[in-house]
Amino acid sequence: MHPILEKVKISQDAYLLKIQASHVSRAEAGQFVMVQYKELSEPIPLSILSTFEDGFSTLVKVVGRSTLELVEEAQELFYVAGPLGKAFPIEVYGKVAFYSHSWGIAPLIPIAKALKDKGNYLTLCHTSEDFYLEEEAREIFHEVLQDEPKPVEANLVVCAGSNQLAKSLVNLYPNTPIISMVNVHMLDAVGLCLVCRVLVDGEPMLACSDGPWFPAHKVDWDNLISREEAYKEQERIALEEYKKILRRKELRNQA
Ligand SMILES: Cc1cc2nc3c(=O)[nH]c(=O)nc-3n(C[C@H](O)[C@H](O)[C@H](O)COP(=O)(O)OP(=O)(O)OC[C@H]3O[C@@H](n4cnc5c(N)ncnc54)[C@H](O)[C@@H]3O)c2cc1C
Ligand code: FES
């Protein structure tokens, strides 16, 4: 079991969790973990925001049943696997433009810190109203913009938090390399279940072991977006059922 050492609410729907899991402390920027609250809970991927000797911290945005369970109930986690995925390539690029949407700021912060140490100039374009970790972001990035995504001068573009945003950046930056996280459901995250398949340059690749960072111009975003849509109805039912359980608990506590 992995105790949740701290759980801090940072907005209406987002929390920072500090989790004890010493095997994750060797993580590099851009890697993620799979966490599972109870034995029968769904395992979900979360980015590693920072590490300490005994574990790591992560940002959780509540979007459905599993993220709600984590913030509402979990005091400890049944399973934490990681660090997983390939680390982000930390190199000298020159000017780097980051595009974040919602929780996407969390994987971008450790990458930005590492790229800043290399002397790169960093611009952040945050594209959603929920600007989590804004204060920390403003300290790290040289420039922060909060408009509709529009092109800025850059040698490299980095994106996280939304497949739709990544797809739009491909049109916005036809000639600039873009490295983007793909948002895809994962199950085992060790390359066996094939749930996280992504078409890259027409070839199937695995987000959990080959990714989660891919060259955005080569990703078949339409295929990925339509596949992810397929789970919507089951996700809605799972969330409604869980909300009923929470409501019954609340009523029992009031009685
Ligand atoms: C490599 C990776 C790193 C991630 N890092 C973080 C992180 O640091 N913090 C964080 O809060 N979330 C992160 N996510 C997204 C997170 O895994 C999902 O939000 C979570 O699995 C949703 O589970 P749920 O049961 O609460 O919601 P579900 O019922 O599964 O989904 C509810 C809604 O959220 C959408 N959704 C589901 N999965 C994703 C996804 N992967 N990306 C975008 N939308 C999704 C669904 O389309 C649906 O509309 C990451 C995802 C990946 C692939
Ligand atoms: S999550 Fe199973 S192969 Fe990637």
Side-chain angles (χ1 to χ4, degrees), residues 30 48 79 107 121 125 145 184 192 239 251:
I48 299 163
Y79 177 73
Y121 183 85
C125 308
L145 309 171
V184 62
L192 294 176
L239 181 60
L251 289 173

Side-chain angles (χ1 to χ4, degrees), residues 32 42 44-47 58-61 63-67 103 106 181-186 212 232 235:
F32 66 96
E42 176 193 36
I44 60 164
L46 292 173
S47 306
T58 186
L59 177 140
V60 179
K61 178 187 165 91
V63 292
R65 174 169 181 150
S66 305
T67 44
W103 55 262
M181 180 184 268
V182 294
N183 300 316
V184 62
H185 281 75
M186 294 185 183
K232 282 252 185 269
E235 286 166 350

Side-chain angles (χ1 to χ4, degrees), residues 185-197 206-209:
H185 281 75
M186 294 185 183
L187 194 56
D188 65 347
V190 291
L192 294 176
C193 72
L194 309 186
V195 162
C196 68
R197 287 181 323 282
L206 298 176
C208 66
S209 48

Side-chain angles (χ1 to χ4, degrees), residues 138-155:
R138 287 188 184 276
E139 276 174 24
I140 299 164
F141 291 89
H142 296 100
E143 216 181 332
V144 176
L145 309 171
Q146 273 181 273
D147 298 323
E148 281 293 297
K150 56 179 175 225
V152 298
E153 200 189 324
N155 308 103

Side-chain angles (χ1 to χ4, degrees), residues 125-199:
C125 308
H126 188 73
T127 66
S128 56
E129 275 179 26
D130 49 2
F131 194 172
Y132 312 124
L133 309 171
E134 180 175 353
E135 211 176 307
E136 194 176 347
R138 287 188 184 276
E139 276 174 24
I140 299 164
F141 291 89
H142 296 100
E143 216 181 332
V144 176
L145 309 171
Q146 273 181 273
D147 298 323
E148 281 293 297
K150 56 179 175 225
V152 298
E153 200 189 324
N155 308 103
L156 175 73
V157 175
V158 185
C159 173
S162 159
N163 293 332
Q164 285 289 359
L165 174 61
K167 184 185 161 185
S168 72
L169 292 179
V170 170
N171 296 324
L172 217 55
Y173 289 95
N175 303 312
T176 308
I178 306 172
I179 302 181
S180 177
M181 180 184 268
V182 294
N183 300 316
V184 62
H185 281 75
M186 294 185 183
L187 194 56
D188 65 347
V190 291
L192 294 176
C193 72
L194 309 186
V195 162
C196 68
R197 287 181 323 282
V198 184
L199 286 175

